[in-house]
Amino acid sequence: MITIEMLNEIKKKTLKTMTLRLEKKNNGISSINKENVSDKKHVLICGGPGCHSSGADELKKRFEQKIDKEELTDVNVSIAGCFGLCESGPNIEIYPGGTFYSQVKIDDVDEIVEKHLCRDEVVERLLNEGAIKEENIKPVFEVDFYKKQEKIALRNCGIIDYNSIDEYIALDGYQALAKALTEMTQEEVIDIMKKSNLRGRGGAGFPTGRKWETAFKYEADKKYVICNADEGDPGAFMDRSILEGDPHSVLEAMAICGYAIGSDQGYIYVRAEYPVAVQRLKTAIKKAKEKGLLGENIFGTEFNFNIEIRLGAGAFVCGEGTALMESIEGKRGMPRPKINRTAHKGLWGKPTIINNVETLANVPPIITKGAKWLKSIGTEDSPGTKVFALGGKIKNTGLVEVPMGTTLREIIFDIGGGIPNGKKFKAVQTGGPSGGCIPEEFLDTPVDFASLGKIGSIMGSGGMIVLDDTDCMVDIARFFLDFTVDESCGKCVPCREGTKRMLEILERITKGKGTPEDLDRLESLSEAITDSSLCGLGQTASNPVKSTMKYFRHEYEAHVKEIRCPAGSCQELLQFFITDKCVGCTKCANNCPASCISGNLKERHVIDTEQCIKCGTCMEVCPVGAVIKK
């Protein structure tokens, strides 16, 4: 059994070995007594999803081998959670100083060790682009990508070794649980959560404290806590990064929730497609049990709490709470009619709290720092921060966490770096398949629950896909409807049949076979599906169509009335031509899969438009840019 004194001793001992790393957390300002700091240098390797798949583990082994060969005894090498700047991975940081290297390969390790670690010379060719300004080298915490971010849910990602429970404890880990169990009543824990106004980060934005209070007040012989880690939105990896980089923050929060409502059992429902997250969660649960932070009589109290993992089979609908519970119970994952509140009658008919990963990651610092602290960040209605997976046509693809109220423009252009390749911003799609597309005129909209709702979108779980002027908004709507149709559980008619009919109409329009009546049908179907679907996923399925028709109706009309795609994206509406620039090199003819290009060597070639399958290969291989599309 662990005591608070033992917890504090672990914190004091471990903090000495990792303080230099906290330059990043504190933006270069350290309040730690320098006498208690280890003089070791730190090599911190990003172990986020992208960098992990790009060989982070191999980089660590190579660093250790080279450091051992050079007989360097003052260097510590660790793999941490996601740094956020996924576009430039694999990323590493070296402390002191916070030198930020990107796209590091195995063959670069020897040079980094020999120059930077042995002679304190920066390897400039490997520096992250954002770390160089006017020939000056900036530490990682001054890179533009990070300057406007504020980390709460991701506070430990990119700093601690995800495999080390001691490093989590060193940064106040499990202090919130200790405080809740030994200093607070259940009502006091719920009261601080209510006062903080933390709203659910899974999409609906329901106040967390009110949800907990409902379950606490409902009498039952058994209650459950569920972490919803079934992250299925295309391009979303917020929850995955927290689970992989800071799993103990979720375990601690679930235990706090369990204490508050009177539950002794928790479940983490996580996608089986996240094998790394699953393995790290298993390791974290095992280590927490070994230290007595999960299990029986935690911190010498009468509170018991255990956590089990349940794997989802990849059904998007299981991100919906009632379908998730059906799946845990061993049934097919399909939504239930919401006759009863989940906090009254949920898993196996017992009171159940379901919070998503990001929501739970916010809980421990709220308990330790108080409700006023959270409300000092963000907006009055939406306090705190929000994590977004920033993707699409954006320079800095990655994971960002910003205070609520930050504008879309700041996220896309100041943090994301803007649109690459000289293209023009067209729209941003927020909220995943259930969200809407927001045009340029609303770029100064603050990101919070109410503001996004007013312009026809939602915050959702945090997907943010940027689109440029080469994206067809009709085809974007078709893409998301195609996903929704494929993932619909089929239980209710409006979603099962209605989304299919909408998809069929969109497919006709993108092929130039739509009619003006189809536009009216899309609008009426959208309203019917929204008003009559069983669950939230069906009720929001038509949002991409409704928002694109509202803000980009001219593109729909161009497809229908002019049989033309203004963005030049819909393949069925394209025609390829070879201009006078052609030098007769024959590359287009030799690479054409349909053999529809003819012409003699050193003479202009011609495309048979009737045989052309419009694949665009001719344009890609032409060395002189003679092929154009209209």
Side-chain angles (χ1 to χ4, degrees), residues 238-249:
M238 302 78 62
D239 292 351
R240 175 181 182 177
S241 295
I242 295 171
L243 294 176
E244 292 184 5
D246 191 19
H248 287 283
S249 65

Side-chain angles (χ1 to χ4, degrees), residues 155-434:
R155 62 192 177 277
N156 295 327
C157 290
I159 297 173
I160 67 171
D161 184 334
Y162 50 76
N163 269 327
S164 173
I165 188 172
D166 288 355
E167 289 198 2
Y168 177 72
I169 291 172
L171 298 188
D172 293 328
Y174 290 104
Q175 293 286 343
L177 179 60
K179 179 180 179 180
L181 295 184
T182 61
E183 300 178 22
M184 303 172 72
T185 64
Q186 293 169 274
E187 292 91 338
E188 287 172 334
V189 173
I190 291 171
D191 186 57
I192 196 172
M193 293 304 299
K194 286 176 63 180
K195 288 180 178 177
S196 74
N197 195 26
L198 174 67
R199 298 178 62 174
R201 301 307 198 239
F206 191 83
T208 305
R210 281 174 53 193
K211 184 185 288 189
W212 289 15
E213 183 179 47
T214 304
F216 165 71
K217 289 182 176 180
Y218 199 80
E219 294 293 332
D221 59 346
K222 188 76 173 180
K223 298 180 182 181
Y224 296 100
V225 176
I226 298 176
C227 170
N228 183 348
D230 191 63
E231 185 176 50
D233 291 7
F237 52 99
M238 302 78 62
D239 292 351
R240 175 181 182 177
S241 295
I242 295 171
L243 294 176
E244 292 184 5
D246 191 19
H248 287 283
S249 65
V250 176
L251 305 187
E252 181 179 11
M254 291 179 69
I256 292 169
C257 178
Y259 170 70
I261 70 169
S263 168
D264 63 358
Q265 181 63 54
Y267 291 98
I268 301 177
Y269 188 87
V270 60
R271 299 178 70 81
E273 296 96 329
Y274 286 178
V276 176
V278 171
Q279 184 55 52
R280 292 178 187 176
L281 277 171
K282 288 180 178 178
T283 301
I285 291 171
K286 179 182 178 182
K287 290 184 177 181
K289 285 183 176 179
E290 289 172 351
K291 277 201 162 43
L293 295 165
L294 289 177
E296 310 297 314
N297 306 118
I298 301 172
F299 285 113
T301 68
E302 296 181 356
F303 176 63
N304 308 321
F305 195 75
N306 287 288
I307 296 175
E308 296 180 23
I309 297 174
R310 291 290 183 268
L311 300 183
F316 178 67
V317 73
C318 285
E320 196 275 338
T322 60
L324 181 154
M325 291 186 292
E326 290 281 294
S327 181
I328 291 179
E329 292 176 5
K331 305 169 188 174
R332 182 180 177 186
M334 302 175 77
R336 304 170 180 170
K338 290 194 174 180
I339 301 171
N340 302 290
R341 291 184 179 181
T342 301
H344 289 170
K345 190 175 181 181
L347 190 65
W348 288 297
K350 303 297 182 180
T352 303
I353 291 297
I354 304 177
N355 288 129
N356 87 318
V357 172
E358 186 184 343
T359 307
L360 290 167
N362 277 270
V363 170
I366 291 174
I367 299 299
T368 55
K369 297 181 181 182
K372 288 184 179 180
W373 163 77
L374 186 76
K375 297 191 79 171
S376 69
I377 304 167
T379 67
E380 183 176 354
D381 182 60
S382 304
T385 59
K386 182 71 187 81
V387 181
F388 292 98
L390 190 59
K393 308 295 180 60
I394 189 78
K395 184 178 180 182
N396 296 329
T397 301
L399 204 64
V400 304
E401 183 173 4
V402 294
M404 292 279 199
T406 303
T407 66
L408 289 167
R409 188 183 301 276
E410 289 176 290
I411 296 172
I412 294 168
F413 290 93
D414 296 345
I415 297 174
I419 316 302
N421 305 318
K423 300 296 183 181
K424 185 181 177 182
F425 172 86
K426 188 171 191 177
V428 58
Q429 204 271 351
T430 67
S434 301

Side-chain angles (χ1 to χ4, degrees), residues 332 334 481-482 484-508 521-522 524-530 532-534 537-539 541-542 545:
R332 182 180 177 186
M334 302 175 77
L481 254 293
D482 184 55
T484 303
V485 168
D486 190 53
E487 294 292 343
S488 174
C489 74
K491 186 171 185 177
C492 72
V493 174
C495 181
R496 183 182 72 237
E497 300 297 332
T499 55
K500 285 182 181 178
R501 301 292 84 79
M502 289 181 72
L503 178 60
E504 289 168 358
I505 294 172
L506 289 168
E507 287 176 339
R508 285 203 302 270
R521 292 190 188 99
L522 279 177
S524 61
L525 278 170
S526 295
E527 294 303 324
I529 294 168
T530 299
S532 54
S533 290
L534 175 62
L537 298 182
Q539 292 160 12
S542 59
V545 176

